[in-house]
Structures are given as structure tokens and as C-alpha cells.
Amino acid sequence: MHGFFNQENTRMSRDANAAVGRYIETFVREGLNRADWAKRHGWEEGGLDRDVGGGGIGDGGAYLEVEDLERLAPQLLLDF
């Protein structure tokens, strides 16, 4: 993160570093949970597709694909 600072003398306290780390961790966990839920419950353009089932992280099913995360990225970014 420090690589994105414009001025070399910009500093962050340890508490601020910890807060940003926790925020990023929460963001990633939420994204994975949403993708898992959507994959297990199905999702199509018109809403949930109840015929699609199983295969999430929590139940030892199929793996999440990049496309699963890409589908939810816009709403996740708006929520955070």
C-alpha cells in the first residue's frame, strides 16, 4: 500500500495499517461468501434459478471460478 503514496514522507500509524488490513480482509471474505452463496443458490439475469444447486465452498462442492467473482464485483464495490 505504501507504494501508492505520492509523497515519500507520507506515513501511516500501526493502528491505521491494522484497520486497513482488517477492512481488506472483510472485503475479500464478503466477496467469497457472496460468490459461494450465489453459486449454491443459482443466479441468472432474471433472478435466482432454483434448479441450480450444490457446489459451494461450504459444502465441499465445486470450486468458485473467476467468473463467479466477476459477476458480483460491481455490487460488492457499491456496498463497500
Side-chain angles (χ1 to χ4, degrees):
M1 185 163 137
H2 297 285
F4 294 106
F5 291 158
N6 290 332
Q7 298 176 355
E8 194 168 315
N9 61 353
T10 302
R11 302 280 187 251
M12 282 182 68
S13 70
R14 290 181 192 256
D15 291 338
N17 257 344
V20 169
R22 185 67 175 174
Y23 184 81
I24 297 294
E25 179 184 341
T26 302
F27 180 80
V28 170
R29 287 180 185 266
E30 178 68 17
L32 290 172
N33 284 330
R34 287 184 187 193
D36 179 43
W37 184 90
K39 189 161 189 167
R40 281 188 285 123
H41 292 89
W43 54 353
E44 295 301 324
E45 311 292 318
L48 292 179
D49 178 9
R50 297 290 178 197
D51 295 335
V52 178
I57 292 174
D59 60 6
Y63 293 98
L64 291 174
E65 301 292 334
V66 173
E67 293 80 17
D68 298 326
L69 297 169
E70 288 174 345
R71 282 184 178 175
L72 65 88
Q75 186 62 47
L76 183 64
L77 290 172
L78 287 172
D79 290 345
F80 271 80

